[in-house]
Amino acid sequence: VILMPQVTALNRAYVSVSGDGQVATGLLIAAEGSSFSATDGAKLWLTNLTELVVGNSHMTLSSSGPDSVIDLSSVTNIVASESGYSLGINSSGGGSVDLHRLIRPAGYFSVSAYAPGSVVDLSGLSGTLGESPGQYVSLSVADGGVILMPQVTAFYGVTISVSGDGEVDHGLLTGIEGCTFYAYNGAKIWLTNLTTLTLTNAGLNVY
């Protein structure tokens, strides 16, 4: 156990918890350019955070191993880096990352979920994903991993990669513009609700 219950903000920090280890940050309300890792069933409850600031350092949220959890369920906003740094959200081996109240991501934003039981919950996103100025969005799933974003209705400049029985849950998707889709190892990408395909200078690529 690391006790720091009076700390309210982290700047360019790296917090890693494994198994039943604990970092006590009960008053944490701000995180800038910081990364968080939960492995081997660890739980990182970060429910006082309402905003993530990417700032001048890459930010990574990584949950790996059965029952590992990073709970950011109060986060509604991401502030993009002005220097091109990215936010990476990763779940693997049965881990999960909860960002279900996030309304709209900003900046360079990548999400991956690999292996059965691995989930990234972005179910609060709605409307068009990828339309913010200077935004790049990458979604990658494989072997039973799932990214939840069932309220998103359009992709703009998004790259989607699906391998095996991975799934990007986008059941309301009706329009795409300038996107790239990859399907590997027997993957299925169902786009049967699409009514609009818009070609831009970036084109539309399907592999």
Side-chain angles (χ1 to χ4, degrees):
V1 179
I2 298 175
L3 299 175
M4 46 175 63
Q6 305 304 315
V7 171
T8 58
L10 295 175
N11 192 321
R12 300 184 71 174
Y14 177 69
V15 179
S16 177
V17 180
S18 180
D20 57 357
Q22 182 182 1
V23 178
T25 56
L27 296 181
L28 188 66
I29 58 172
E32 179 173 346
S34 297
S35 293
F36 299 90
S37 173
T39 60
D40 300 324
K43 309 292 190 289
L44 264 175
W45 308 113
L46 302 168
T47 52
N48 287 329
L49 285 174
T50 60
E51 181 177 81
L52 297 176
V53 180
V54 179
N56 292 319
S57 180
H58 294 297
M59 177 178 279
T60 301
L61 311 172
S62 179
S63 180
S64 177
D67 300 319
S68 297
V69 175
I70 297 179
D71 188 337
L72 289 157
S73 56
S74 297
V75 170
T76 60
N77 186 45
I78 292 173
V79 178
S81 168
E82 295 181 356
S83 304
Y85 291 98
S86 64
L87 170 63
I89 303 171
N90 313 305
S91 66
S92 62
S96 64
V97 180
D98 186 348
L99 279 162
H100 78 269
R101 286 192 176 92
L102 179 63
I103 297 172
R104 191 174 300 277
Y108 291 83
F109 184 82
S110 66
V111 185
S112 64
Y114 303 137
S118 301
V119 178
V120 177
D121 189 343
L122 298 169
S123 53
L125 299 181
S126 62
T128 300
L129 180 64
E131 65 180 345
S132 300
Q135 186 169 45
Y136 170 78
V137 179
S138 172
L139 309 173
S140 178
V141 291
D143 304 327
V146 177
I147 297 172
L148 299 174
M149 46 178 59
Q151 305 303 315
V152 171
T153 57
F155 286 156
Y156 182 91
V158 177
T159 298
I160 302 97
S161 175
V162 181
S163 179
D165 56 355
E167 180 184 2
V168 178
D169 179 3
H170 48 61
L172 296 181
L173 191 68
T174 58
I176 58 175
E177 181 174 345
C179 295
T180 300
F181 294 86
Y182 298 91
Y184 305 101
N185 301 321
K188 310 292 190 295
I189 301 178
W190 305 109
L191 302 169
T192 53
N193 289 326
L194 280 181
T195 57
T196 304
L197 295 176
T198 304
L199 300 181
T200 64
N201 291 335
L204 173 66
N205 305 300
V206 180
Y207 300 94

